[in-house]
């Protein structure tokens, strides 16, 4: 019996040709295929949540301790500067340890190890009976933050396929921002000791989830554990065909089976990507992000802001979160360099505006006063009272929101992502630790001397300096940073072997 034509297929006849998949269907298929990568990424970036939470812990705590009646916990200006800056010193030590641990324990175990100093640090601050406990706890949480800052971006970039690496590369910064926002929000509700207790939760969840996640296939291959690497990659890709990708990674690892020697480090093909990553982290800190976040409420207390400084800090945290979300969505669409240009330009305008406002704007009669000037006399003549609301007092909040928005859309997440993308595999563990070390030593100097510079020269001077650095960052992006969108890690590494300045032929 002859088969009906309905549904028959041939070279010249197709009753119902298959329609191409819609963008929605392709997105759904990509989500299903990468769902395990998303889960592993989420487990890892909980460490960044804890990092962001710990980084801004001082923002509500320093004002509270300055008013403390306990002489053992009362902070003066010098002690407050140490309490704010010692975190970055611990983070630098964490970055230094990552230079060893990243390649010794692997990315995943190094992230899990960071939970030990983090838990101890939060416990010390929660039960602090003196300044030394606060400083030690702050240092330990900083050490954990520096270790995760070096390990998590590398882990995420090594497990993510090229199509989603840009979006996933933004998740460390996204979770760091979410952690900071959570701290600002809880700071409106909880006393400072309970803020430290609340910081323990994400660390414990991270340990639990990471226990079930695989290590980086690239790290496993570098240690000769090929079978385990194949199993890890197969699990991450949800059992899809992985042999071509595995062979490509395996070939790249075999060609770089040894570590970089000092003589090789002088080769432009090796030091050029490392130098780009280090300078990006250096410039990232010089934009002023860390001292602004650490002393956010103190800065608002020193200006005529509209709302109480705690509420202003929470609003800025929410803006930062939304901006990183925008960056995560657009990073693989617009490209890295476009967002870096936009980011530096926005930060330049914001820092310059804030500096000019502080220099020429109104002086608050009381810290954080929202009232206008009282009735004043000048030459015996009574002046009319100022209105109770001055729209100029919106400028500090709006300028800070603009700065945070600009940073979070570009120089925040993309710096972390490019660090993990451009570093050569043989030097990735050590070089990522070097980047974090340089970054947080710079942050330590800035946070330690920020308040001292403000007392000596005025609050406007640091913001003028930060705006000049943002202008320099524009030039650096145009001259030195390659566009890595849509490229595999192996393609990016091959690009630096050619000594070209662009992927374009």
């Amino acid at each position: 019996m002859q088969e009906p034509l309905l549904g028959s297929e041939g070279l010249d006849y197709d009753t119902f040709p298959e329609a191409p998949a819609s963008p929605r269907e392709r997105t759904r298929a990509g989500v299903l295929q990468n769902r395990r990568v998303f889960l592993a990424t989420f487990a890892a970036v909980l460490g960044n949540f804890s990092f962001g939470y710990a980084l801004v812990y001082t923002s509500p705590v320093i004002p509270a301790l300055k008013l403390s009646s306990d002489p053992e916990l009362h902070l003066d200006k010098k002690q407050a500067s140490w309490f704010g800056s010692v975190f970055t010193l611990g983070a630098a030590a964490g970055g230094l340890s990552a230079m060893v641990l990243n390649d010794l324990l692997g990315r995943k175990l190094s992230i899990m190890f960071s939970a030990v100093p983090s838990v101890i640090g939060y416990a010390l601050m929660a039960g602090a009976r003196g300044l030394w406990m606060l400083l030690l706890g702050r240092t330990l949480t900083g050490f954990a933050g520096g270790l995760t800052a070096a390990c998590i971006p590398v882990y995420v970039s090594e497990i993510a396929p090229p199509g989603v690496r840009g979006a996933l590369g933004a998740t460390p910064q996204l979770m760091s921002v979410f952690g900071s926002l959570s701290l600002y929000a809880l700071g409106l509700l909880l006393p400072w000791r309970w803020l430290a207790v609340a910081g323990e939760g994400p660390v414990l969840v991270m340990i639990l989830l990471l226990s079930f996640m695989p290590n980086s296939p690239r790290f496993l291959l570098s240690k000769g554990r090929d079978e385990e690497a194949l199993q890890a990659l197969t699990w991450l890709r949800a059992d899809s065909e992985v042999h071509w990708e595995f062979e490509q990674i395996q070939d790249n690892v075999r060609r770089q089976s040894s570590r970089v020697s000092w003589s090789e480090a002088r080769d432009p093909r090796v030091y050029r990507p490392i130098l780009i990553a280090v300078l990006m982290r250096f410039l990232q800190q010089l934009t002023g992000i860390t001292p602004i976040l650490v002393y956010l409420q103190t800065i608002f207390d020193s200006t005529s802001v509209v709302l109480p400084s705690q509420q202003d800090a929470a609003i800025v945290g929410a803006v930062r979160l939304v901006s990183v979300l925008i960056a995560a969505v657009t990073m693989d669409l617009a490209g890295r360099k476009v967002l870096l240009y936009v980011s530096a330009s926005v930060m330049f305008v914001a820092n310059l505006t804030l500096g000019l406002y502080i220099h020429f704007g109104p002086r608050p009669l009381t810290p954080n006063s929202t009232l206008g000037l009282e009735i004043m006399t000048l030459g015996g003549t009574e002046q009319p009272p100022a209105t109770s609301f001055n729209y100029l007092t919106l400028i500090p909040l709006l300028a800070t929101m603009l700065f945070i928005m600009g940073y979070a859309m570009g120089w925040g997440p993309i710096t972390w992502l490019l660090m993990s993308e451009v570093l050569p595999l043989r030097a990735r563990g050590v070089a990522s630790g070097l980047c974090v070390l340089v970054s947080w030593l710079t942050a330590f100097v800035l946070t330690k001397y920020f308040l001292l510079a403000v007392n000596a020269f005025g609050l406007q001077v640091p913001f003028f300096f930060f705006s000049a650095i943002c202008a320099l960052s524009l030039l650096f992006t145009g001259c030195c940073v390659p566009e890595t969108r849509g490229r595999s890690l192996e393609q990016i590494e091959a690009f630096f072997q050619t000594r070209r300045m662009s992927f374009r032929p």
Side-chain angles (χ1 to χ4, degrees):
M1 185 176 182
Q2 188 178 5
E3 293 291 330
L5 289 176
L6 183 64
S8 66
E9 296 180 359
L11 293 175
D12 300 317
Y13 190 89
D14 189 356
T15 307
F16 295 110
E18 185 178 353
S22 66
R24 184 177 180 180
E25 290 172 337
R26 289 196 300 268
T27 301
R28 183 174 181 272
V31 169
L32 291 175
Q33 182 179 349
N34 295 316
R35 63 187 183 277
R36 292 178 180 176
V37 176
F38 297 156
L39 178 61
T41 299
F42 174 75
V45 297
L46 283 172
N48 292 108
F49 179 96
S50 180
F51 167 75
Y53 187 97
L55 174 64
V56 300
Y57 177 74
T58 54
S59 183
V61 174
I62 286 179
L65 292 180
K66 282 184 175 180
L67 301 176
S68 175
S69 58
D70 187 344
E72 297 296 323
L73 295 174
H74 179 79
L75 298 181
D76 57 27
K77 289 183 179 180
K78 185 176 180 180
Q79 292 169 333
S81 71
W82 272 108
F83 187 46
S85 62
V86 75
F87 177 92
T88 58
L89 203 58
L96 188 63
S97 69
M99 297 173 69
V100 177
L101 295 178
N102 230 343
D103 290 326
L104 182 65
L105 299 179
R107 290 56 157 139
K108 189 187 85 165
L109 290 180
S110 297
I111 298 169
M112 296 177 71
F113 175 76
S114 71
V116 176
S118 184
V119 168
I120 296 174
Y122 280 125
L124 282 171
M125 290 189 289
R129 290 293 180 267
L131 179 62
W132 72 270
M133 294 181 72
L134 290 172
L135 294 178
L136 181 58
R138 187 93 172 121
T139 304
L140 288 173
T141 53
F143 179 90
L147 184 56
T148 56
C151 299
I152 293 175
V154 174
Y155 177 74
V156 172
S157 71
E158 290 187 347
I159 66 172
V164 296
R165 196 177 62 242
L168 293 183
T171 55
Q173 181 69 14
L174 176 64
M175 289 298 284
S176 176
V177 170
F178 189 48
S180 298
L181 176 60
S182 300
L183 187 281
Y184 292 139
L186 290 175
L188 300 174
L189 305 172
L190 299 177
W192 63 270
R193 291 186 188 275
W194 282 102
L195 287 176
V197 173
E200 306 269 9
V203 181
L204 300 177
V205 176
M206 179 192 73
I207 286 289
L208 178 63
L209 291 179
L210 275 179
S211 300
F212 300 98
M213 299 298 114
N215 214 321
S216 160
R218 287 174 173 84
F219 167 76
L220 295 172
L221 282 170
S222 70
K223 296 300 181 181
R225 296 151 65 180
D226 293 22
E227 186 64 30
E228 192 177 346
L230 179 59
Q231 292 175 358
L233 188 63
T234 302
W235 187 90
L236 288 166
R237 301 297 183 262
D239 300 322
S240 62
E241 180 59 44
V242 298
H243 288 287
W244 180 85
E245 181 181 1
F246 181 76
E247 290 173 0
Q248 186 183 34
I249 298 172
Q250 191 176 44
D251 179 65
N252 187 55
V253 171
R254 284 174 178 169
R255 285 188 283 105
Q256 304 183 65
S257 56
S258 61
R259 290 190 178 183
V260 174
S261 64
W262 284 111
S263 60
E264 290 177 306
R266 293 194 292 269
D267 188 337
R269 294 172 295 183
V270 175
Y271 75 70
R272 184 177 157 215
I274 295 176
L275 190 60
I276 289 173
V278 169
L279 286 176
M280 286 195 73
R281 296 304 297 267
F282 180 64
L283 290 172
Q284 180 197 46
Q285 288 295 339
L286 288 181
T287 62
I289 183 62
T290 300
I292 289 175
L293 290 177
V294 169
Y295 300 119
L296 191 58
Q297 287 188 205
T298 304
I299 292 171
F300 283 143
D301 283 336
S302 302
T303 55
S304 302
V305 292
V306 178
L307 299 172
S309 59
Q310 299 94 328
Q311 295 182 25
D312 285 324
I315 292 171
V316 168
V319 170
R320 189 176 170 212
L321 179 63
V322 172
S323 301
V324 176
L325 284 170
I326 294 172
V329 172
T330 59
M331 200 176 296
D332 284 320
L333 299 175
R336 281 57 155 162
K337 293 190 70 167
V338 170
L339 291 179
L340 287 174
Y341 285 131
V342 173
S343 173
S345 301
V346 171
M347 289 192 294
F348 169 77
V349 172
N351 276 323
L352 185 61
T353 301
L354 197 50
L356 290 173
Y357 171 84
I358 295 168
H359 186 70
F360 296 107
R363 301 287 189 274
L365 296 179
T366 59
N368 201 38
S369 174
T370 60
L371 298 177
L373 298 175
E374 302 294 335
I375 298 177
M376 300 177 63
T377 59
L378 182 61
T381 305
E382 187 178 271
Q383 301 295 317
T387 59
S388 60
F389 178 78
N390 186 349
Y391 284 100
L392 284 178
T393 59
L394 286 169
I395 292 179
L397 176 60
L398 294 178
T400 306
M401 289 169 60
L402 187 65
F403 170 81
I404 294 295
M405 181 183 298
Y407 175 83
M409 288 181 64
W411 275 85
I414 294 177
T415 304
W416 295 78
L417 174 62
L418 278 173
M419 179 192 77
S420 60
E421 286 184 328
V422 304
L423 294 177
L425 177 62
R426 284 194 295 167
R428 195 168 291 159
V430 174
S432 62
L434 176 64
C435 289
V436 174
L437 175 65
V438 170
S439 174
W440 290 109
L441 283 177
T442 306
F444 169 73
V445 173
L446 289 173
T447 51
K448 180 68 180 70
Y449 293 102
F450 179 81
L451 293 180
L452 299 178
V454 168
N455 292 333
F457 306 109
L459 184 58
Q460 71 276 12
V461 172
F463 287 102
F464 288 143
F465 171 77
F466 297 151
S467 63
I469 295 297
C470 292
L472 181 62
S473 300
L474 281 169
L475 298 176
F476 177 80
T477 301
C479 297
C480 304
V481 179
E483 178 57 72
T484 59
R485 178 184 57 166
R487 308 286 178 176
S488 69
L489 297 183
E490 287 69 35
Q491 288 174 323
I492 296 170
E493 192 158 336
F495 157 74
F496 281 106
Q497 299 293 324
T498 65
R499 304 190 184 187
R500 289 183 297 170
M501 296 300 293
S502 171
F503 277 102
R504 296 173 182 173

